[in-house]
Amino acid sequence: MPLEPWDLNLVLGVLQEAPFEPLQDVSLSFLSWKVAFLVAVTSIRRVSELAALSCQVPFLIFHQDNVVLRTSPSFLPKVVSSFHLNEEIVLPSLCPAPVHRTEKVPHTLDLVRALRRYVSRTASFHRSDALFVLPEGPRKGLAASKAMMAKCVIKHLEGLVVQYDLTVRDSDGSVVQFLYGEDGLDVPKTQFLQPKQFPFIAENYEVIKKSKHLDEVLCRMDSEQANRYSGFLYMWRLKRPAPSQRLNAFILYSQKKMAAFKELCPGGCEEYGREEAVTQSWYALDPKGRKKYIKRSSHLPDPCLSVLRPDLYFGSVSEKFLDQVNQYTLHRDVQGSSHEESKVPSERLRTLLQLKWQRALCEPGDAVGLLAAQSIGEPSTQMTLNTFHFAGRGEMNVTLGIPRLREILLTASSNIKTPMMSVPVLPTKKAMRKVKKLKKQLTRVCVAEVMHKLDVEETFRIEDRSRKFNIYKIKFHFLPYDHYRQEKCLRPEGILHFMEGKFFRFMLEAIKRRSTKFASNRDVTSRKASRKDMDEGGETAATQEQEAEAEDQDIVDAEADEGDADATDTRLKKKQEEEVDYESGEEEVGENEEDQDEENVPEKKDGEDEDDDGNSLPAIEDDPSPPPPSSSASKKRNDENLAKEVLEENRVNGVLSLDANVEDYSYDLERSLWCQITLKLPLMKIHFDVSSLISSLARNMVIHETKGITRCLLNESTNQSGEKEQMLNTEGINLQEMFKYSEILNLRRLYTNDIHAMANTYGIEAAVRAVQKEIKDVFAVYGIEVDPRHLSLVADYMCFEGTYRPLNRFGMLSSSSPFQQMTFETSYKFLKDATVSGAKDDLQSPSACLVTGKVVKGGTGLFDLKQPMK
């Protein structure tokens, strides 16, 4: 891939400013990036040499004006010589002792200064001799390397070998695939079975016939049985030219009874897209009634390869290859005898191609597991470590590169970073009209997206000559309804109800927490400073604002946070939850129960209002009884105005009752475009910015959302037939919600990149296909193509136990070989568990054979030779 142009002066300028300076306040991640970049630029070394640098004293020596670096003794450079093996990397210091102001600027780029700080900060958690280690995550303190993923995949797949019955089995004998790659072909030999090679084979038929003795070979081959079964499949497909949905007994029953059930239940009672009444009626049928529909259901015959083994039955080939051969021979017959290759009869050419297919089968003993692991591990070294791609129109963020492969292979994460769904829209006018409304309904809306501006007026007040207060008049201005009516499922009245019922409560909670934190910090720092405080004062002051901002994020709903499977994020979230005040925890329990009602405010029916807690209230109506003759239209209007005034007063009183610090509240009675709340807070010695606190809260508070979905996009794409269609793409996953819109969406093609969701919803076979597709899509971005046979083997291995398991030490728990477990990771733990449980190793896995000095059961070691004892 061509590298994008970049400006060195711009990068060096950024490294001289925050967040890379000053070094005593820089986070470890930014410090690691700065040191790695400076070492790479100043040394001009290969990535492999930088990764082999050691932090031990003999290989890392600091001097006053330079630093001396050496690679680890076990490292072999690209050029193996005595000079390159013992070469020192001497990097000079840049303005080590600045005196003049002009020297202080280049001093920030001093490599020796930055490297010394980096070594001292990573010394406490170093778990590797490498100089550069991961600053966070579950592998914190270990060397950063792309080879980790390749090692894990190879270690898991090392025992997968093709057996004499063409099945792919693990070292314990468990069957992973009945045919390698689902067709049994060896990957390097498939290049000679492509349709573009057919003319070459036809032109050289006579040469192949003489050199390979085709007449003697073909006379022993009997393809009658395979041809008979292939003809049966051809006739079956000829009667069904267009691919259609496989209609089982339940679908046939539903199609017949659905209309009648909908008439009985006009409102419908669907559960996951199915009518509950139809499902119960199907289960209530007697066996005789079900048998009628079972006979009418379509049965798909098995392919030829699954019925007739290709190594025993000549002519048993895949359906795709058979169609290619038939299409080519038909084309030759139509073209006539103008070409030299047409002298070969089509029947003989077809027989020759079938023979080449049979000879292209995988040989017993092939270590296909290692080949598949290498085919994934080697191309991954050409990919970037951290890549995010904007899919569609550049509006949706998708994880790619090493992070995505790590999610698929190493962790098998059930909580991926960028979950998404895609489903085509039905090509009908009704569906096209309704999908725009569905797009608005599925899109998450935060307060900041509909807020135009925020005005905060701060004044000072003294009461009773000693009590001092800060008075904050906070006015929220919202966008007009026309600005967002096409994109968001909201109305101005619903926004105000949300502000009164939920936002103000969280805002007051955030202000209280910030005030309490600053007050506690003031009390702690009022003691006499010690020498330790003087040394650590800089770092403590720099992290106070970061901790305050992190605590503000705890106030928002947990559902708005998109998590990661990484253990570091889990520990950080747990630590933040433990720091939350216990009083706020009790309030949030009650608030979570009201979330659904409050977030559905924009969808309330006309004629309904809400009380102070955000609950829906029926509108006040006039007495249905006929009015007395003395009543008039003016009295009716007076009653309506009185009811309106009562509702307005109740809304204001509801906000005032939220907290004693709320002094006043008002809102736009006509258009609902603004609201203003007045707070009276005690004067504090430490001042904090209220407007930034409220703005941060507005960016995280969700007014309307569908559970699990953050954003929805409607894009135009091209299907496999070349036709344009509308595709609904979502950030986030909620398959059950999509099942409710079968009249709008083509649910047969609903897809998500969450493999666990595919397995739980559609079954483990769907998860296998999803694993293959996701790995293929990751490599396709970089122009790398991996043979689908390798991908199918990896996917089948990860799912052959019926669950989607990762290729890490947790997935290694199911291995039957303790030696294979111990040679992977955490050797002591696996050894202890095997000893305690009395585990037994049959010494069949490659790891066990290498440990004990036996021949590996693969390749020429797959079989045993018997010698006659004479």
Side-chain angles (χ1 to χ4, degrees):
M1 292 179 60
L3 296 177
E4 297 183 1
W6 60 288
D7 190 353
L8 177 60
N9 294 328
L10 177 62
V11 176
L12 294 178
V14 172
L15 293 178
Q16 298 174 14
E17 304 172 353
F20 298 98
E21 285 289 338
L23 288 184
Q24 60 268 21
D25 299 334
V26 175
S27 66
L28 189 56
S29 297
F30 287 110
L31 179 61
S32 302
W33 296 341
K34 180 174 182 176
V35 173
F37 178 80
L38 292 178
V39 172
V41 171
T42 55
S43 64
I44 318 179
R45 299 289 174 162
R46 298 178 181 273
V47 176
S48 58
E49 296 181 47
L50 297 179
L53 293 177
S54 177
C55 64
Q56 299 300 324
V57 175
F59 310 103
L60 175 63
I61 303 176
F62 286 100
H63 298 286
Q64 186 175 1
D65 56 347
N66 60 37
V67 60
V68 179
L69 302 174
R70 295 184 181 90
T71 58
S72 176
S74 59
F75 171 71
L76 291 178
K78 189 175 185 65
V79 180
V80 181
S81 65
S82 58
F83 173 76
H84 292 89
L85 287 174
N86 302 318
E87 185 179 7
E88 294 182 349
I89 304 176
V90 181
L91 304 179
S93 178
L94 184 62
C95 297
V99 178
H100 195 267
R101 184 177 61 181
T102 57
E103 296 179 350
K104 294 183 180 180
V105 176
H107 177 67
T108 57
L109 297 177
D110 185 9
L111 170 62
V112 179
R113 164 179 166 265
L115 185 58
R116 193 188 300 272
R117 170 75 64 168
Y118 173 77
V119 172
S120 63
R121 292 189 61 178
T122 57
S124 60
F125 58 85
H126 237 98
R127 293 191 289 166
S128 171
D129 292 339
L131 177 61
F132 297 108
V133 294
L134 296 175
E136 57 186 12
R139 302 187 68 245
K140 180 178 179 180
L142 297 177
S145 174
K146 297 179 183 178
M148 177 64 184
M149 184 176 64
K151 186 202 80 171
C152 293
V153 179
I154 290 175
K155 199 62 183 175
H156 273 268
L157 305 183
E158 65 177 13
L160 299 184
V161 177
V162 177
Q163 303 295 325
Y164 280 95
D165 58 354
L166 297 187
T167 60
V168 179
R169 299 173 183 260
D170 206 348
S171 56
D172 59 353
S174 56
V175 179
V176 178
Q177 283 186 331
F178 290 100
L179 274 178
Y180 169 61
E182 300 182 1
D183 57 7
L185 295 181
D186 194 3
V187 175
K189 298 177 182 178
T190 56
Q191 302 300 324
F192 304 98
L193 298 176
Q194 302 298 326
K196 60 183 180 180
Q197 297 290 335
F198 292 170
F200 176 80
I201 296 175
E203 293 175 358
N204 296 273
Y205 177 82
E206 295 297 333
V207 178
I208 299 174
K209 177 181 177 182
K210 294 179 181 179
S211 61
K212 301 296 182 180
H213 306 285
L214 288 183
D215 294 337
E216 299 178 8
V217 174
L218 295 179
C219 68
R220 303 174 185 176
M221 300 293 184
D222 183 15
S223 61
E224 180 181 357
Q225 193 169 354
N227 292 338
R228 188 186 310 116
Y229 192 81
S230 299
F232 163 72
L233 292 178
Y234 176 77
M235 296 303 298
W236 186 90
R237 293 166 58 187
L238 195 63
K239 295 179 181 179
R240 301 164 180 82
S244 59
Q245 182 185 10
R246 294 180 60 184
L247 301 178
N248 58 17
F250 176 75
I251 294 178
L252 292 174
Y253 179 78
S254 301
Q255 291 177 348
K256 183 177 181 180
K257 301 294 184 180
M258 183 67 72
F261 280 108
K262 285 187 175 181
E263 291 180 358
L264 296 177
C265 186
C269 47
E270 293 189 0
E271 180 184 6
Y272 303 128
R274 290 183 175 181
E275 288 285 347
E276 187 177 356
V278 178
T279 307
Q280 294 179 355
S281 176
W282 168 256
Y283 287 129
L285 276 179
D286 56 349
K288 185 178 181 180
R290 291 189 187 184
K291 188 176 181 180
K292 178 178 64 174
Y293 294 98
I294 293 175
K295 287 183 177 180
R296 292 172 50 195
S297 61
S298 58
H299 299 278
L300 185 65
D302 295 325
C304 187
L305 284 177
S306 63
V307 177
L308 305 175
R309 276 178 52 178
D311 59 332
L312 299 181
Y313 294 91
F314 180 73
S316 177
V317 298
S318 66
E319 296 177 357
K320 181 180 179 181
F321 181 76
L322 184 61
D323 291 340
Q324 292 174 349
V325 172
N326 291 335
Q327 185 177 1
Y328 176 71
T329 53
L330 180 63
H331 177 72
R332 289 177 70 253
D333 295 341
V334 172
Q335 291 293 331
S337 59
S338 59
H339 300 285
E340 185 70 18
E341 62 183 65
S342 61
K343 295 180 180 180
V344 182
S346 299
E347 189 64 28
R348 292 187 179 181
L349 180 61
R350 183 182 292 106
T351 305
L352 175 60
L353 292 174
Q354 291 175 351
L355 178 63
K356 292 188 70 67
W357 169 279
Q358 191 178 55
R359 290 185 173 180
L361 294 173
C362 261
E363 299 291 340
D366 282 357
V368 291
L370 293 177
L371 294 176
Q374 183 66 15
S375 67
I376 293 177
E378 194 278 331
S380 66
T381 60
Q382 306 175 27
M383 295 162 33
T384 54
L385 285 172
N386 195 11
T387 301
F388 293 91
H389 170 64
F390 291 92
R393 298 181 183 176
E395 299 173 343
M396 189 170 292
N397 192 10
V398 180
T399 309
L400 292 178
I402 297 296
R404 181 56 182 153
L405 280 181
R406 179 176 174 271
E407 286 181 342
I408 301 172
L409 299 175
L410 298 192
T411 63
S413 176
S414 60
N415 194 7
I416 60 180
K417 290 183 179 179
T418 55
M420 58 180 295
M421 293 187 298
S422 62
V423 55
V425 182
L426 293 175
T428 61
K429 294 182 179 180
K430 183 179 179 181
M432 292 295 180
R433 185 175 64 255
K434 288 186 175 182
V435 73
K436 296 181 179 179
K437 183 179 179 181
L438 176 62
K439 173 180 173 291
K440 294 195 301 181
Q441 184 177 345
L442 297 177
T443 302
R444 173 188 288 181
V445 183
C446 297
V447 176
E449 298 177 23
V450 295
M451 190 169 65
H452 177 56
K453 65 177 181 178
L454 175 67
D455 294 334
V456 179
E457 180 182 346
E458 182 179 357
T459 58
F460 177 71
R461 182 189 299 177
I462 301 179
E463 296 180 0
D464 300 335
R465 297 184 179 181
S466 60
R467 301 173 61 189
K468 302 176 183 179
F469 298 93
N470 278 334
I471 307 300
Y472 295 95
K473 289 185 178 180
I474 307 171
K475 189 171 185 178
F476 300 86
H477 298 269
F478 301 102
L479 294 172
Y481 181 53
D482 294 336
H483 283 63
Y484 56 84
R485 64 183 304 174
Q486 299 295 335
E487 299 293 333
K488 306 183 188 306
C489 188
L490 280 178
R491 295 189 64 85
E493 297 82 3
I495 298 174
L496 285 187
H497 283 298
F498 177 82
M499 300 292 291
E500 297 164 0
K502 189 173 183 180
F503 184 84
F504 290 152
R505 189 184 309 136
F506 280 87
M507 181 185 69
L508 294 170
E509 180 74 20
I511 293 175
K512 281 185 177 181
R513 292 190 178 192
R514 181 65 64 87
S515 302
T516 303
K517 179 175 181 60
F518 283 143
S520 62
N521 290 341
R522 180 191 60 192
D523 296 339
V524 171
T525 57
S526 60
R527 63 178 174 81
K528 184 178 180 180
S530 62
R531 181 174 297 275
K532 183 178 180 180
D533 296 330
M534 298 298 292
D535 296 337
E536 301 178 355
E539 297 182 0
T540 305
T543 57
Q544 285 181 0
E545 287 296 328
Q546 298 177 359
E547 294 177 356
E549 294 178 0
E551 288 191 358
D552 295 338
Q553 301 296 330
D554 294 339
I555 303 173
V556 300
D557 294 344
E559 294 178 357
D561 295 331
E562 293 297 328
D564 182 16
D566 194 77
T568 305
D569 295 342
T570 306
R571 291 196 298 266
L572 180 59
K573 184 179 294 184
K574 183 178 180 181
K575 180 180 179 182
Q576 291 176 349
E577 291 175 354
E578 292 175 353
E579 295 175 355
V580 173
D581 190 12
Y582 70 95
E583 296 179 355
S584 64
E586 296 176 355
E587 294 179 3
E588 290 178 0
V589 172
E591 291 163 3
N592 290 335
E593 297 176 355
E594 302 172 358
D595 283 350
Q596 295 181 353
D597 295 335
E598 291 171 343
E599 293 172 1
N600 291 332
V601 167
E603 299 180 357
K604 66 182 188 332
K605 299 180 181 179
D606 296 336
E608 291 185 356
D609 210 328
E610 294 185 351
D611 61 2
D612 300 336
D613 295 331
N615 298 324
S616 178
L617 292 175
I620 299 179
E621 300 179 354
D622 295 333
D623 190 356
S625 60
S630 59
S631 64
S632 60
S634 60
K635 184 177 179 181
K636 184 177 181 180
R637 286 195 298 270
N638 292 335
D639 293 340
E640 292 178 353
N641 293 334
L642 180 60
K644 187 176 181 180
E645 292 177 359
V646 171
L647 288 176
E648 294 173 359
E649 185 178 355
N650 289 339
R651 292 177 63 177
V652 173
N653 292 335
V655 176
L656 296 178
S657 62
L658 290 177
D659 194 275
N661 295 325
V662 181
E663 192 175 52
D664 189 21
Y665 174 69
S666 59
Y667 62 95
D668 188 358
L669 298 176
E670 297 180 358
R671 303 176 60 189
S672 301
L673 294 181
W674 60 267
C675 64
Q676 178 174 304
I677 185 172
T678 305
L679 303 179
K680 184 176 69 172
L681 302 177
L683 182 65
M684 297 180 58
K685 293 184 179 181
I686 301 178
H687 181 269
F688 64 91
D689 190 2
V690 176
S691 60
S692 62
L693 177 63
I694 298 176
S695 300
S696 176
L697 189 62
R699 289 191 295 268
N700 293 279
M701 288 294 292
V702 179
I703 302 179
H704 169 78
E705 71 170 343
T706 300
K707 184 178 179 181
I709 299 177
T710 58
R711 197 160 43 148
C712 187
L713 302 174
L714 190 62
N715 300 328
E716 188 178 44
S717 63
T718 305
N719 56 18
Q720 296 180 353
S721 303
E723 301 175 353
K724 292 185 178 180
E725 61 182 2
Q726 291 291 328
M727 186 72 68
L728 188 69
N729 299 317
T730 66
E731 284 187 359
I733 296 174
N734 192 336
L735 295 176
Q736 285 73 22
E737 182 70 19
M738 290 297 182
F739 292 157
K740 300 177 182 179
Y741 306 104
S742 57
E743 298 179 354
I744 304 175
L745 307 175
N746 186 4
L747 298 179
R748 300 180 188 175
R749 294 172 56 193
L750 174 61
Y751 179 77
T752 173
N753 62 347
D754 189 344
I755 301 173
H756 282 280
M758 294 291 289
N760 297 333
T761 307
Y762 297 105
I764 197 62
E765 286 298 326
V768 172
R769 302 299 179 186
V771 172
Q772 298 180 41
K773 182 181 183 302
E774 289 301 315
I775 301 177
K776 180 182 177 182
D777 292 345
V778 171
F779 284 112
V781 175
Y782 299 89
I784 301 172
E785 184 177 356
V786 181
D787 193 275
R789 295 171 182 83
H790 298 318
L791 301 181
S792 67
L793 181 62
V794 174
D796 284 332
Y797 177 81
M798 298 181 71
C799 302
F800 88 101
E801 291 184 350
T803 57
Y804 175 47
R805 61 169 184 166
L807 300 181
N808 54 19
R809 63 177 180 272
F810 299 105
M812 188 62 72
L813 293 175
S814 60
S815 175
S816 61
S817 173
F819 278 116
Q820 185 178 4
Q821 295 174 340
M822 287 184 284
T823 54
F824 181 67
E825 282 182 2
T826 59
S827 302
Y828 175 73
K829 180 180 180 300
F830 283 123
L831 177 60
K832 181 184 67 175
D833 294 342
T835 304
V836 172
S837 61
K840 179 183 177 182
D841 198 323
D842 294 332
L843 303 181
Q844 297 295 322
S845 66
S847 297
C849 292
L850 292 175
V851 170
T852 57
K854 294 181 59 178
V855 178
V856 177
K857 298 294 184 180
T860 56
L862 183 64
F863 57 88
D864 296 326
L865 294 178
K866 293 184 178 181
Q867 284 282 17
M869 302 298 295
K870 292 185 179 178

